[in-house]
Every structure is written in C-alpha cells, then in structure tokens.
Amino acid sequence: MNDAVTTRSIVVERTLPHPPEKVWRALTRAELISQWLMPNDFQPEVGHRFTFRTRPMGDWDGVVQCEVLDAKPHERLRYSWVGGSPSARLDSVVTWTLTPTDAGTHLRMEHAGFRPENETAFAAMSPGWFRILERIGDVIEADEA
Amino acid sequence: MNDAVTTRSIVVERTLPHPPEKVWRALTRAELISQWLMPNDFQPEVGHRFTFRTRPMGDWDGVVQCEVLDAKPHERLRYSWVGGSPSARLDSVVTWTLTPTDAGTHLRMEHAGFRPENETAFAAMSPGWFRILERIGDVIEADEA
C-alpha cells in the first residue's frame, strides 16, 4: 500500500431512541443485518470471516469478503470490507461506534479506505450508507426482543 | 438541534512526507491557508473567531464564520464552520488530526455535521476537500520554512 495516496471515508451518524444493547443486536445478528444490509453469515467474534452477498453488478461478483477485527459488545464493532470490481478492488474497513445518550444511543458508522480508483464505489455507497442508517432504525423498531 | 437527524461527515486522509511541525504551519498560518483554501484571518488560539471569504454563490454570501475550538500544536486543530445559504445553513465542525509516521505525517481532515438539508453543500464539498488535501501537499512543498 502506497501511503502517499489520498483516501476518503464515509461517515454517517444518527441518534436512535433505543439502548445500546438493542442497537447492538441489530448490528450483530445475521438475520437482522440481512434486513438492513445484505444476506450474510456474520458472527460477532474477532477473526471470524464472513461474506455479504448481493446481485452481481457490472464486473463485480456481488460478494464482499469480510473479517471481524474488533467486537466489544454494545460499544464497538469493526470489520474489513474487501470487494468490488477486480480492476478497482475496494480494500476498506467499516467501524461502528455506539455511545449511550440520555435519549438512547448515538450510532456512528465509518467506512474508511476509499482510494482514488474507488471513486465509483464511493459515489454509490455515500448516499447508500445514509439510507442504510435510516433503515437500521426501522429494523430495531420491528425487533421485538 | 434534533438529535434524531442523520448527519454525514466528509473525511479525507493523506500521508505527507513532512514532519508534523511543517504540516502544522500550513494549517495555521493565515497566508499559507489562503493558498490551499480561502482568504482568512485565522489565528491558532482557542476562542479566536475568524472568517473564510470567497465569491458569493447563489444565495450564499461567500462567508464562512468560524471559531477555533481546539489547537494543540502539531497534533490537533478544530474549528466550527458555519455558513451556506440562509435556507440551508451549514452548522458544522472541521477537525484536523496529525499523527507522526516513519515517512512523515498522517493527516486526517474530518468535516462533520452535514444534515439532510445540507445535501447541496455535502455534494460540492466532498470532492472539494479531496482536491484541497492534494493542494496542501503542494503548499507545504513550496514553503521554505
């Protein structure tokens, strides 16, 4: 990796009217994640490798290869996110940070590591993550646990 | 402020082949800042109020109202950034973080606080900050100090 490259991140933040425990469930239960993101075989264990799978688009096979890098219950979740077209592979990291507030939980999502050649992915995912954060609220709302 | 609103940030990171002291100069000397951003009356003192001024665009008067919130030499600089059109006022914060590396300095810029009504500003400034980070490198290169 050439450190001289300029990289960009997508950051979206939202305060949810639910305690961190309930937000954490939505971020870490495979069946709940699939409701706001993509089908997956996620498990909240450091070192666990998993994939997100969606329909292939262009020269991308629709698979995101991930590995859990950090999982501190109710506080912080971090996984690598590698995918995209072979000609512009996206080698990135997603970090979720949960902070309790009087009203519930402040949720911050940072997707870091977009290099200049990942411009197409950045342009697509920047509004995409915004909508996903809105959707997480609906999934938590519907989660009876 | 309604905490339930989803906000976005722009984050751009770059490693520069210069020590933090030299990067800090470029971020805190008014005459150097004006070379990579806009004319200004910045001073690196917490509580100092200053403005960036550029040509008016649409219903924006071209003025950004700022206040220094944090200034730890060679490490961290933070200022509020309030401006934009009266109908979609941008109430935001810019944070610069400098981390020494073997090769020089890792520089991270985060511009936080874009609400849904600031979509136009977000769309314009997201590629804008990318170019600005590239430009800072040129300004440091040309700075003889």
Side-chain angles (χ1 to χ4, degrees), chain B residues 40-106:
Chain B
N40 67 90
D41 54 332
F42 178 87
Q43 288 176 30
E45 291 160 18
V46 173
H48 174 67
R49 290 170 186 273
F50 65 102
T51 58
F52 288 112
R53 287 174 187 275
T54 186
R55 279 174 306 177
M57 274 179 267
D59 64 348
W60 175 44
D61 61 5
V63 179
V64 184
Q65 303 280 356
C66 304
E67 179 179 344
V68 179
L69 303 174
D70 193 4
K72 188 169 183 199
H74 317 152
E75 288 186 28
R76 193 173 54 250
L77 175 65
R78 200 157 181 257
Y79 39 80
S80 59
W81 176 292
V82 178
S85 73
S87 59
R89 199 156 189 76
L90 175 63
D91 190 348
S92 60
V93 173
V94 172
T95 305
W96 296 93
T97 310
L98 291 69
T99 309
T101 69
D102 289 347
T105 304
H106 181 80

Side-chain angles (χ1 to χ4, degrees), chain A residues 3-16 103 108 110 112-116 122 126-127 130 133-134, chain B residues 3-16 103 106 108 110 112-113 115-116 122 126-127 130 133-134:
Chain A
D3 273 339
V5 166
T6 303
T7 62
R8 286 197 279 174
S9 307
I10 298 167
V11 178
V12 186
E13 298 178 66
R14 190 178 175 195
T15 297
L16 294 158
R108 176 188 167 94
E110 173 164 340
F114 291 85
R115 297 157 67 92
F122 183 86
S126 188
F130 183 85
L133 267 276
E134 300 275 330
Chain B
D3 273 339
V5 166
T6 304
T7 63
R8 287 197 278 174
S9 307
I10 299 166
V11 178
V12 186
E13 298 178 66
R14 190 178 177 194
T15 298
L16 294 158
H106 181 80
R108 174 187 167 96
E110 173 166 339
R115 297 157 68 93
F122 184 86
S126 189
F130 183 85
L133 266 277
E134 300 276 329

Side-chain angles (χ1 to χ4, degrees), chain A:
Chain A
M1 180 171 154
N2 176 3
D3 273 339
V5 166
T6 303
T7 62
R8 286 197 279 174
S9 307
I10 298 167
V11 178
V12 186
E13 298 178 66
R14 190 178 175 195
T15 297
L16 294 158
H18 306 286
E21 292 72 16
K22 195 154 186 198
V23 177
W24 183 257
R25 266 178 63 88
L27 298 180
T28 56
R29 295 266 179 140
E31 75 277 13
L32 294 177
I33 298 168
S34 69
Q35 291 175 35
W36 54 263
L37 191 53
M38 286 181 267
N40 65 91
D41 55 333
F42 179 87
Q43 287 176 29
E45 291 160 18
V46 174
H48 174 65
R49 289 170 187 273
F50 65 103
T51 57
F52 289 111
R53 285 174 189 276
T54 186
R55 280 174 304 180
M57 272 180 267
D59 63 348
W60 176 44
D61 61 4
V63 179
V64 183
Q65 304 280 356
C66 304
E67 180 180 343
V68 179
L69 304 174
D70 193 3
K72 187 167 185 202
H74 317 151
E75 288 187 26
R76 193 173 53 250
L77 175 65
R78 199 156 180 256
Y79 39 82
S80 58
W81 177 290
V82 178
S85 73
S87 60
R89 200 157 188 74
L90 175 63
D91 190 348
S92 61
V93 174
V94 173
T95 305
W96 297 93
T97 310
L98 290 69
T99 310
T101 68
D102 289 345
T105 305
H106 181 81
L107 178 63
R108 176 188 167 94
M109 188 292 307
E110 173 164 340
H111 190 172
F114 291 85
R115 297 157 67 92
E117 63 267 32
N118 304 129
E119 175 56 31
T120 304
F122 183 86
M125 299 180 73
S126 188
W129 277 117
F130 183 85
R131 289 191 297 268
I132 287 163
L133 267 276
E134 300 275 330
R135 213 143 65 209
I136 287 175
D138 298 339
V139 171
I140 297 173
E141 205 69 61
D143 176 21
E144 299 292 335

